[in-house]
C-alpha cells in the first residue's frame, strides 16, 4: 500500500523529529521501517514476511560495500591525530608574528590558522574549540570587539569542511554518485575565494573602525635574536642576508655564530626559494609536460592498428555487462541486484544516466568514482591553456620580485620568525599539499590519499616528541625504499617515491612503537584519536544506512515523483531552479545541520539536474558553500555552541551569533559569484579531468 501523501508525511515527520532532538540516523531508520512496512503490506500475510526487512538488509549491505566511504575514517583519523598532537599553539604564535603589523593582526591570524588547520583536519568542532582556547582570550585581552573575535573563530573554523580534503564532499559524492576528485577540484577555488572574502571583511572593518581591533604594542610581538646572529647583521638597517652570504664565503666572519649556525640559517633562508621553485616547477611539469598530448610519431602499420581499434571500440555503444556495472559510481546505499525493476528506486537515482553534464556519455563506459584522467581518443590537440606561458612568466617574475624584496629587508628578527614558520607551518603545509596533489594530479585515489595523510599525521605527531630519532629512522627507511626501487630497476621518480614512503613509514613505526610504552602522552593521543575516529565513522555510516532506507521508502511511496511533477510544473528556468534549490537549502541550514540536509534533502534535487541541464559538480559545490550557513545560522549553529563552551563567562551566546551573521551574508556573496561565473568552479576539474 503506497501513497504519495505518505512520502510528504515522512518529510514532515523527519524535520519535526530532528528539531525535537531525536538522533537523525535512527529516526531515519525508524520512519523508513514503519512506512516501508506500510508500503509492502499485503492483507492476510504474516508480519515477518513483509519485504521491508529484506530492504533494510539490502540497504545496509549497500552502505557496507560503498567504496566511497573508505576515505572517511582515514581523513577523520588524520584530523584527530594532528589535533591531539598540539601543533596549533606554535603555528598560531608564528603566524601572528608574521602578520604583526597588519590591521587586526590577531583576527587575521586566527582566520588564517583556522582555515589552514581546518583544511588539514577537516573537523569543525575541534578547530573551533582549539582556536577558542588559543586565540579568543588573547584577542579579548588586547581589546578586540567580542563580535569580531567570535566571528573570526566560528567562520574560519567552518572552512575546513568546504576546502578539500572535506568529509562533506565525500558525503555528497556518495549521495549523488559523483567523482570525489572532481568535487575536490571544483571546491578548491570557491573555498579559497570565500576565505579571501572573509579576510577582506575583517581588514575592512578594522580599517574603518580601528577601535574594534587595537594595535598591539611592540613589546607584545618582539622576538629575541641571539647575539651571535646580531653580529652578522650589516648596515644601519641591520640586514642579515648579506652577512650570512659573506660568512659563507669567508668562514672567519662567522665569529661567535660558528660556521654550522651560518649554514643552518642559510638553509632556512633557502626554504621560501625552494617552495616557490617547487610550486612553479610542478605547475610547469604538469601543464606542459605531463598534461600535454603525446605527438603521434610515424610507426609501422602494425603498431597503429591497436590504437585505431581502441578508438573504434570506444566509439561503439557499450553493452551493460556486469563488469561495467561494477565500475559505475555507487549511489548511497545501493546494493548490487540483477533485476533493476525489483530494486526500489533510490531518491537520488532518477535521471542519472541521462545527465549530459556528468562527464560521461550514454554511449561510453561508466566513469569510476575515483577516475581522475580520461584517455584522449580524438586527434592530438594542445591542452596547454591559452596565454599560459605569459601568465606563468608573469607569476614567476612577480614571485621573484617578492622574494627579492623580502630578503633585501630581512633582519635577524625576521629570520627568527621565518624559522618559526618553517618549524610550525611548513610540515603541515607540505603534508596537506601532498594529500591534495596526489588526488588532483591523478596519482592516487581519494582513499589512498587519505591513507597517506593518516600516515603523515602520525609521522608529525611522533616527530614533535622524538625529533632526532624520527630523523634517523627516516633516513634508514629512505635508504631501504630507494634500494628496493633500485633492485627492481624502477625509474628515478618511482625510486624517489619509494624512498619517501619508506622514510615516512619507518620514521613513524620505529620510534612510535619503541616509545609507545614509556610515553603516556603518545599512548593517550593515539588511543583518543582511534576512539574518536571509530565514533565519528560509526555515526556517518549509521546516518548513511538510515538515509538509504528512508530514501528508498520515500521513492516507493511516490514522494519523489510527486515533488518532481510539482517542480517541473512551475516551468522554472535553470537559473530559477538553482535559485530556488539554493534558497531552500539556505533556509534549511537554520534549523538543520549539514548532514541532514545532504542525505535527506539534496537527493530531492539531484534527479532534476538533468532536466535543467545543470552540472551536478557545480550544484554540489554550491551546496557545500551554501552549507557554511548551517554552521553560522541560529538556532542550530554548532560553531557558536562549540565556542561558547570554551569562552569566558562574560561572552554571551547572542554576541557570538551577532559576530557570525555578517559571514552568512558573505556566503551569499560567494554564491552570487559562483552563479555569475561558473568557470570559477568548473574550470579546474575540466582542465584536470576533461568534460
Amino acid at each position: 500500500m503506497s501513497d504519495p501523501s505518505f512520502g510528504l508525511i515522512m518529510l514532515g515527520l523527519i524535520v519535526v523529529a530532528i528539531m525535537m532532538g531525536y538522533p537523525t540516523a535512527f529516526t531515519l531508520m525508524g520512519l523508513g521501517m514503519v512506512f516501508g512496512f506500510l508500503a509492502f503490506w499485503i492483507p492476510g500475510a504474516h508480519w515477518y514476511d513483509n519485504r521491508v526487512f529484506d530492504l533494510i538488509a539490502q540497504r545496509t549491505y549497500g552502505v557496507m560495500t560503498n567504496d566511497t566511504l573508505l576515505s572517511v575514517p582515514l581523513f577523520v583519523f588524520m584530523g584527530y591525530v594532528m589535533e591531539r598532537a598540539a601543533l596549533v599553539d606554535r603555528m598560531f604564535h608564528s603566524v601572528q608574528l608574521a602578520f604583526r603589523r597588519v590591521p587586526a593582526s590577531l583576527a587575521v591570524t586566527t582566520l588564517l590558522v583556522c582555515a589552514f588547520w581546518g583544511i588539514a583536519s577537516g573537523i569543525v568542532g575541534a578547530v573551533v574549540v582549539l582556536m577558542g582556547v588559543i586565540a579568543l582570550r588573547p584577542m579579548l585581552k588586547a581589546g578586540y570587539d567580542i563580535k569580531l573575535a567570535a566571528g573570526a573563530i566560528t567562520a574560519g573554523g567552518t572552512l575546513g569542511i568546504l576546502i578539500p580534503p572535506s568529509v562533506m564532499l565525500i558525503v555528497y559524492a556518495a549521495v549523488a554518485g559523483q567523482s570525489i576528485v572532481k568535487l575536490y577540484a571544483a571546491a578548491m577555488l570557491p573555498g579559497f575565494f570565500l576565505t579571501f572574502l572573509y579576510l577582506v571583511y575583517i581588514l575592512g572593518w578594522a580599517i574603518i573602525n580601528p577601535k574594534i581591533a587595537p594595535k598591539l604594542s611592540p613589546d607584545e610581538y618582539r622576538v629575541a635574536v641571539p647575539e651571535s646572529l646580531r653580529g652578522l647583521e650589516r648596515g644601519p638597517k641591520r640586514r642579515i642576508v648579506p652577512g650570512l652570504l659573506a660568512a659563507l664565503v669567508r668562514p672567519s666572519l662567522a665569529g661567535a655564530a660558528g660556521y654550522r649556525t651560518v649554514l643552518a640559517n642559510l638553509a632556512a633562508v633557502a626554504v621560501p626559494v625552494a617552495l616557490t621553485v617547487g610550486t612553479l616547477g610542478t605547475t610547469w611539469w604538469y601543464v606542459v609536460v605531463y598534461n600535454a598530448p603525446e605527438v603521434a610519431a610515424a610507426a609501422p602499420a602494425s603498431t597503429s592498428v591497436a590504437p585505431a581499434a581502441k578508438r573504434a571500440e570506444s566509439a561503439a555503444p557499450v553493452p551493460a555487462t556486469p563488469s561495467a556495472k561494477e565500475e559505475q559510481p555507487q549511489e548511497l546505499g545501493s546494493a548490487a541486484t540483477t533485476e533493476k525493476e525489483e530494486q526500489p528506486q533510490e531518491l537520488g537515482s532518477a535521471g542519472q544516466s541521462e545527465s549530459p553534464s556528468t562527464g560521461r556519455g550514454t554511449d561510453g563506459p561508466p566513469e569510476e568514482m575515483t577516475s581522475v584522467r580520461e584517455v584522449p581518443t580524438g586527434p592530438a590537440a594542445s591542452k596547454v591553456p591559452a596565454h599560459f606561458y605569459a601568465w606563468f612568466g608573469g607569476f614567476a617574475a612577480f614571485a621573484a620580485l617578492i622574494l627579492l624584496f623580502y630578503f633585501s629587508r630581512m633582519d635577524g628578527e625576521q629570520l627568527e620568525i621565518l624559522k618559526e614558520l618553517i618549524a610550525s607551518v611548513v610540515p603541515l603545509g607540505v603534508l596537506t599539499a601532498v594529500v591534495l596533489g596526489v588526488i588532483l594530479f591523478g596519482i592516487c585515489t581519494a582513499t589512498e590519499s587519505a591513507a597517506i595523510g593518516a600516515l603523515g599525521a602520525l609521522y608529525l605527531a611522533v616527530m614533535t616528541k622524538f625529533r632526532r630519532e624520527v630523523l634517523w629512522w627516516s633516513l634508514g627507511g629512505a635508504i631501504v625504499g630507494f634500494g628496493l626501487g633500485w633492485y627492481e630497476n624502477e625509474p628515478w621518480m618511482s625510486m624517489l617515491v619509494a624512498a619517501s614512503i619508506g622514510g615516512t613509514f619507518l620514521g613513524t613505526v620505529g620510534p612510535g612503537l619503541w616509545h609507545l610504552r614509556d610515553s603516556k602522552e603518545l599512548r593517550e593521543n593515539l588511543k583518543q584519536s582511534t576512539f574518536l575516529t571509530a565514533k565519528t565513522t560509526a555515526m556517518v555510516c549509521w546516518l548513511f544506512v538510515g538515509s538509504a532506507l528512508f530514501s528508498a521508502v520515500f521513492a516507493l511511496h511516490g514522494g519523489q515523483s510527486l515533488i518532481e511533477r510539482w517542480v517541473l510544473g512551475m516551468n522554472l528556468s535553470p537559473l530559477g531552479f538553482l535559485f530556488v534549490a539554493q534558497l531552500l537549502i539556505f533556509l534549511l541550514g537554520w534549523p538543520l545541520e549539514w548532514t541532514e540536509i545532504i542525505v535527506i534533502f539534496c537527493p530531492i534535487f539531484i534527479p532534476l539536474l538533468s532536466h535543467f541541464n545543470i552540472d551536478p559538480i557545480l550544484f554540489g559545490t554550491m551546496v557545500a558553500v551554501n552549507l557554511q550557513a548551517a554552521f553560522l545560522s541560529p538556532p542550530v549553529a554548532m560553531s557558536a555552541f562549540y565556542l561558547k563552551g570554551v569562552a569566558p563567562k562574560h561572552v554571551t551566546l547572542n554576541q557570538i551569533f551577532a559576530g557570525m551573521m555578517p559571514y552568512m551574508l558573505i556566503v551569499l556573496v560567494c554564491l552570487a559569484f559562483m552563479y555569475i561565473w561558473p568557470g570559477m568552479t568548473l574550470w579546474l576539474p575540466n582542465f584536470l579531468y576533461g568534460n
Side-chain angles (χ1 to χ4, degrees):
M1 179 180 64
S2 62
D3 189 343
S5 61
F6 284 170
L8 299 181
I9 293 174
M10 291 175 66
L11 282 180
L13 287 177
I14 190 63
V15 173
V16 173
I18 292 174
M19 295 183 66
M20 291 176 64
Y22 288 96
T24 304
F26 298 104
T27 303
L28 287 169
M29 284 187 286
L31 289 175
M33 181 182 299
V34 172
F35 284 89
F37 189 89
L38 294 177
F40 287 113
W41 181 70
I42 299 176
H46 204 279
W47 67 269
Y48 55 73
D49 290 331
N50 196 291
R51 291 180 59 191
V52 69
F53 302 109
D54 297 332
L55 180 62
I56 295 173
Q58 181 194 72
R59 292 305 176 181
T60 304
Y61 180 75
V63 173
M64 292 170 59
T65 57
N66 195 334
D67 294 338
T68 308
L69 302 178
L70 286 175
S71 56
V72 171
L74 295 171
F75 276 131
V76 172
F77 182 73
M78 169 185 169
Y80 278 124
V81 166
M82 289 192 294
E83 182 247 328
R84 297 287 160 173
L87 303 175
V88 186
D89 299 15
R90 191 174 183 183
M91 179 189 296
F92 179 81
H93 178 67
S94 59
V95 175
Q96 190 267 325
L97 291 175
F99 289 91
R100 62 193 187 277
R101 293 188 176 91
V102 176
S105 60
L106 284 176
V108 170
T109 301
T110 299
L111 182 65
L112 291 176
V113 174
C114 279
F116 187 86
W117 191 253
I119 294 170
S121 66
I123 304 169
V124 173
V127 175
V128 173
V129 170
L130 275 176
M131 295 308 300
V133 172
I134 296 171
L136 183 59
R137 293 183 184 274
M139 282 193 285
L140 298 180
K141 183 180 179 181
Y144 277 53
D145 184 79
I146 295 177
K147 293 183 290 184
L148 175 65
I153 295 175
T154 53
T158 62
L159 290 170
I161 204 68
L162 168 64
I163 306 175
S166 165
V167 177
M168 177 192 291
L169 295 177
I170 298 175
V171 174
Y172 177 83
V175 170
Q178 294 300 315
S179 171
I180 300 175
V181 292
K182 286 187 176 181
L183 282 168
Y184 275 4
M188 291 290 291
L189 293 181
F192 290 127
F193 180 68
L194 186 60
T195 307
F196 171 75
L197 292 180
Y198 286 170
L199 286 173
V200 170
Y201 167 73
I202 292 176
L203 290 173
W205 194 11
I207 293 173
I208 294 173
N209 187 9
K211 294 182 180 179
I212 65 171
K215 290 185 177 180
L216 300 177
S217 63
D219 294 335
E220 295 184 73
Y221 56 75
R222 196 177 303 277
V223 179
V225 181
E227 289 298 328
S228 58
L229 201 59
R230 289 285 189 191
L232 295 175
E233 294 177 330
R234 295 289 184 268
K237 296 186 178 180
R238 310 187 68 83
R239 303 309 182 203
I240 191 65
V241 175
L244 291 174
L245 294 176
L248 178 65
V249 178
R250 298 175 59 186
S252 59
L253 297 177
Y259 196 65
R260 179 177 295 181
T261 303
V262 172
L263 291 177
N265 286 289
L266 281 175
V269 171
V271 169
V273 179
L275 292 176
T276 304
V277 172
T279 302
L280 294 174
T282 303
T283 304
W284 178 275
W285 168 80
Y286 182 81
V287 175
V288 178
V289 179
Y290 181 73
N291 196 52
E294 297 180 359
V295 180
S302 59
T303 62
S304 61
V305 173
K310 184 175 182 180
R311 287 194 296 268
E313 182 182 355
S314 63
V318 178
T321 60
S323 60
K325 283 186 178 181
E326 292 174 359
E327 296 179 358
Q328 189 174 5
Q330 189 177 18
E331 291 198 19
L332 179 60
S334 59
T337 57
T338 57
E339 298 182 11
K340 186 176 180 180
E341 59 273 10
E342 294 184 0
Q343 181 180 357
Q345 187 182 18
E346 201 168 336
L347 196 57
S349 60
Q352 191 76 355
S353 60
E354 293 86 353
S355 175
S357 56
T358 54
R360 60 180 185 269
T362 57
D363 58 348
E367 182 186 17
E368 290 185 5
M369 177 62 70
T370 54
S371 174
V372 294
R373 285 191 66 84
E374 297 179 0
V375 179
T377 58
S382 177
K383 287 188 177 182
V384 178
H387 310 296
F388 167 76
Y389 298 104
W391 280 99
F392 184 85
F395 276 116
F398 179 74
L401 290 176
I402 291 295
L403 288 176
L404 184 62
F405 177 78
Y406 176 63
F407 290 138
S408 65
R409 297 174 57 86
M410 178 180 287
D411 55 13
E413 187 179 28
Q414 291 175 333
L415 179 57
E416 290 297 313
I417 295 174
L418 176 61
K419 290 191 287 186
E420 281 293 316
L421 289 172
I422 293 172
S424 60
V425 178
V426 171
L428 279 175
V430 171
L431 175 61
T432 306
V434 169
V435 170
L436 293 179
V438 295
I439 297 177
L440 298 180
F441 291 162
I443 300 174
C444 295
T445 64
T447 302
E448 294 163 348
S449 173
I452 293 174
L455 178 62
L458 284 173
Y459 182 83
L460 295 179
V462 177
M463 178 177 279
T464 56
K465 303 297 179 184
F466 314 103
R467 183 181 184 86
R468 183 178 296 273
E469 296 180 42
V470 168
L471 292 177
W472 280 110
W473 277 89
S474 299
L475 178 61
I479 295 174
V480 172
F482 190 86
L484 290 175
W486 182 279
Y487 178 78
E488 295 292 336
N489 293 323
E490 295 287 341
W492 282 98
M493 185 61 68
S494 298
M495 286 190 286
L496 291 177
V497 172
S500 301
I501 295 176
T504 306
F505 180 76
L506 283 185
T508 303
V509 174
L513 293 179
W514 183 265
H515 292 282
L516 194 60
R517 175 176 297 181
D518 55 44
S519 176
K520 182 179 179 180
E521 183 178 0
L522 179 62
R523 188 168 61 252
E524 285 297 319
N525 290 344
L526 185 60
K527 177 183 176 181
Q528 293 177 10
S529 300
T530 305
F531 173 76
L532 291 172
T533 300
K535 182 179 178 180
T536 305
T537 306
M539 181 270 294
V540 172
C541 290
W542 278 117
L543 185 64
F544 269 53
V545 171
S547 174
L549 179 61
F550 183 90
S551 61
V553 174
F554 183 79
L556 281 172
H557 279 294
Q560 175 63 34
S561 60
L562 181 65
I563 292 177
E564 288 182 3
R565 290 195 302 269
W566 176 66
V567 173
L568 296 179
M570 298 173 65
N571 294 323
L572 295 173
S573 64
L575 181 60
F577 172 76
L578 270 178
F579 179 79
V580 171
Q582 297 298 330
L583 177 62
L584 290 176
I585 291 174
F586 179 79
L587 295 177
L588 287 171
W590 290 36
L592 302 178
E593 294 189 57
W594 67 268
T595 49
E596 288 94 349
I597 295 174
I598 286 185
V599 301
I600 299 174
F601 294 97
C602 277
I604 296 176
F605 303 109
I606 291 172
L608 298 169
L609 297 180
S610 60
H611 175 81
F612 291 100
N613 198 23
I614 297 174
D615 194 317
I617 299 295
L618 174 63
F619 182 80
T621 309
M622 298 181 88
V623 169
V625 174
N626 198 350
L627 286 178
Q628 300 296 300
F631 290 99
L632 301 174
S633 57
V636 193
M638 294 307 300
S639 295
F641 294 101
Y642 292 143
L643 182 60
K644 177 58 180 175
V646 296
K649 293 183 179 180
H650 70 275
V651 177
T652 65
L653 198 59
N654 289 333
Q655 290 175 319
I656 299 176
F657 283 149
M660 295 190 305
M661 286 300 177
Y663 296 94
M664 290 179 56
L665 300 178
I666 295 175
V667 170
L668 298 181
V669 172
C670 183
L671 282 174
F673 273 96
M674 295 174 70
Y675 278 123
I676 298 171
W677 183 31
M680 180 174 65
T681 304
L682 298 178
W683 177 83
L684 186 59
N686 288 341
F687 172 71
L688 293 175
Y689 319 121
N691 296 325

